Amino acid sequence: MSLQVIPTVSNAALLQPGFSLLNFGGHVVFFGQKGWPKRSCPTGVFLLDINQNELKMKPAFFSKDSCYLPPLRYPALGVLRASVGTDEHQYVIHGGKTPNNDLSDKVYLMSLVSRNSKKTTFQCTEKELCGDVPEARYGHTINVVHSQGKSMAVIFGGRSYVPLAQRTTEKWNSIVDCLPSVFLIDFEFGCCTSYRLPELQEGLAFHVSIAKNDSVYILGGHSLQNNTRSPSLYKLKVDLPLGSPSVTCTILPGGISVSSAIVTQTKDSEFVLVGGYQSDTQKRLVCNTILLGDNKIEILEREGPDWTAAIKHCRTWFGCDMGKGSVLLGIPGANKQFISDANYFYILRCKGAEEEKEEELRVPICSQTSTENPEDSSAFEDSEEFCLSAEANSFDAGDTDTYNEDDEDDESDTGYWITCSAGCSVDINTWVPFYSTELNKPAMILCSSGTAHWVHAQCMDLSERMLLQLSGANVKYFCKEHVALHRGLQTPQRGLQLKKQPRKPPRKKSALKLATPGKKSFLRRLFE
């Protein structure tokens, strides 16, 4: 095993804990940025490339018949192959967090359509589900099993929000472990079936799952209910006869107490387990080799790489499988300022030098950063933010083929869960709906002062009638902090002046009209 430092990672502000990497024939694709995609890449999917130890992101495209794929963090990913033994495959994406801090219960199928030097096109379709549909969740796993010529997906574990009926003001956004149910999904018909097995007594999140043929092995994971990392090792065996499927569970010895670990495949039946946590404050620096047989699993401790002092002493680290025996590792930097590129990144190669030369392994990389203080950051959770974005089909292919970080806005000031003013009363942990139009997020109004910003309607003391009027009308609104400034900048309008008609001079009457009849005859005689 070898560890290589990556000195330069550009546009790292996009990468946050919970993103995913997809590998299509050696080409690594980044998916799941923290905010909504920007106009520089409205699809939110990037190809990762490295040249001279510098990462570059190239935006990808979706075909016209594709559905919109939101950026999902902590989703479950599985590989669905066209047939057993073939390299042609597509990814199954289920669940995950959206930038609105909502949880998804949808299933997407993502496949590569075409690729050339200038453009890569993917296809994404949403699979309609029926039956026992799994609730929205994150931190779970999905695997594809094969039995008697059939294929099905197996979903297990994860976390979800407390049901609406059970929420209180103090615990409005609390999370709980999902029930320890096993879900089978038939991709041909979209039917879901759930199973409760007596061997599975508690829900697990951020565990490891590996599938081979008709079996899924579940290792480690964290339970919120008991605040433990289970050392249990489970084997789920799925039988797919002509009738109803059957699922059995067996508890095996030799498990490992770990959560958020990373697994990469090095051979057909060999995997390497790296990273993760063995407690809330202690990383797991030991590596393991996992050997899968037809009906057994063997976990062996192996010699790890020469960890750097920075990795050994850091509190948190992040990682993701890049495929073909390579793993990305990221650790917080020593600088505690809010700098987007304050992390260090490594690529861990789990294959030997001879094996790498034989496969001529490409070295694409991915990185992730944190804008939080490393001492205050959590291993699994971090805050979510919402950003306004362009539509998915508004990307102009002629603009550029690389990501431009200057197009990104500061997400820290544009989210729902923000301090919109000095007297902002919205708290992500205690917020409850105030208006009848609110479902799971506060209502916001755009303040038109200067660079427009969003403010909470409740903080501005807006009545529901006024909120609906401002939301539906194309008018400008100014928050309490800017309305006085706005009025001071206005030029007073001059009052309308009535146009006065000019007075005409009095008309002089002729002497003949002023003369009396007697005088008139006298004058006539005088001039005759």
Side-chain angles (χ1 to χ4, degrees), residues 33-51:
Q33 64 187 54
K34 187 175 182 181
W36 289 105
K38 302 294 182 174
R39 62 182 177 87
S40 52
C41 183
T43 63
V45 176
F46 297 84
L47 281 173
L48 302 186
D49 189 19
I50 184 172
N51 185 15

Side-chain angles (χ1 to χ4, degrees), residues 438-486:
E438 295 175 325
L439 296 177
N440 55 5
K441 59 180 69 72
M444 303 192 75
I445 296 296
L446 183 66
C447 175
S448 303
S449 176
T451 57
H453 66 100
W454 291 90
V455 293
H456 299 118
Q458 183 177 352
C459 296
M460 298 300 109
D461 298 328
L462 296 180
S463 64
E464 186 159 0
R465 181 179 178 182
M466 180 60 68
L467 171 63
L468 295 176
Q469 181 179 351
L470 292 174
S471 300
N474 187 18
V475 296
K476 289 186 176 182
Y477 170 80
F478 296 89
C479 68
K480 294 179 180 179
E481 297 183 357
H482 294 120
V483 63
L485 176 62
H486 173 68

Side-chain angles (χ1 to χ4, degrees), residues 88-362:
E88 184 180 353
H89 67 277
Q90 55 185 335
Y91 277 91
V92 183
I93 304 173
H94 175 265
K97 284 186 176 183
T98 70
N100 287 3
N101 221 21
D102 298 331
L103 300 184
S104 172
D105 61 351
K106 297 182 178 180
V107 173
Y108 300 95
L109 298 177
M110 182 174 171
S111 58
L112 177 64
V113 177
S114 62
R115 186 180 191 277
N116 53 43
S117 58
K118 294 184 178 180
K119 184 176 181 180
T120 301
T121 304
F122 295 95
Q123 182 188 47
C124 182
T125 58
E126 180 182 345
K127 189 67 177 180
E128 296 291 338
L129 302 180
C130 61
D132 302 330
V133 179
E135 65 176 322
R137 61 188 67 199
Y138 72 101
H140 55 301
T141 57
I142 183 171
N143 299 92
V144 179
V145 294
H146 308 276
S147 174
Q148 302 186 25
K150 299 180 182 179
S151 298
M152 279 195 177
V154 180
I155 294 178
F156 175 75
R159 292 175 181 167
S160 182
Y161 287 126
V162 176
L164 292 176
Q166 302 177 14
R167 295 187 184 184
T168 62
T169 301
E170 292 78 13
K171 298 181 179 180
W172 181 255
N173 286 323
S174 296
I175 54 176
V176 293
D177 292 322
C178 295
L179 295 176
S181 299
V182 178
F183 295 87
L184 293 186
I185 300 180
D186 186 346
F187 288 110
E188 183 178 359
F189 302 102
C191 298
C192 301
T193 308
S194 64
Y195 299 84
R196 288 297 301 269
L197 306 177
E199 294 80 6
L200 300 173
Q201 294 296 325
E202 59 182 4
L204 297 173
F206 299 100
H207 56 273
V208 171
S209 65
I210 303 175
K212 183 175 182 181
N213 298 331
D214 60 355
S215 300
V216 178
Y217 298 90
I218 298 175
L219 174 68
H222 182 259
S223 173
L224 283 176
Q225 182 178 0
N226 303 322
N227 192 25
T228 58
R229 287 164 176 81
S230 173
S232 300
L233 175 60
Y234 302 98
K235 176 184 178 182
L236 300 178
K237 183 176 177 60
V238 181
D239 188 16
L240 303 176
L242 295 178
S244 299
S246 64
V247 182
T248 58
C249 180
T250 305
I251 301 178
L252 303 178
I256 298 176
S257 178
V258 65
S259 62
S260 298
I262 309 165
V263 173
T264 183
Q265 187 172 4
T266 53
K267 296 181 181 179
D268 181 43
S269 299
E270 180 181 293
F271 301 81
V272 176
L273 178 73
V274 297
Y277 300 84
Q278 59 189 40
S279 68
D280 291 340
T281 58
Q282 186 175 2
K283 305 188 308 297
R284 188 176 186 274
L285 298 174
V286 179
C287 300
N288 296 88
T289 299
I290 301 177
L291 301 175
L292 289 185
D294 292 335
N295 295 305
K296 66 177 182 178
I297 179 173
E298 188 177 5
I299 303 177
L300 305 174
E301 186 172 330
R302 64 180 292 168
E303 183 180 358
D306 185 12
W307 300 113
T308 64
I311 293 180
K312 291 180 180 179
H313 295 98
C314 70
R315 179 183 177 185
T316 61
W317 60 350
F318 313 101
C320 194
D321 175 28
M322 302 172 61
K324 294 191 175 182
S326 296
V327 172
L328 165 84
L329 292 174
I331 63 173
N335 193 336
K336 296 185 179 181
Q337 301 297 325
F338 291 96
I339 301 177
S340 60
D341 296 324
N343 290 357
Y344 301 134
F345 306 98
Y346 304 83
I347 287 183
L348 177 63
R349 300 177 184 175
C350 300
K351 291 186 177 182
E354 296 181 358
E355 294 174 323
E356 291 181 356
K357 290 181 179 180
E358 291 178 0
E359 296 187 3
E360 297 181 355
L361 181 65
R362 294 183 58 186

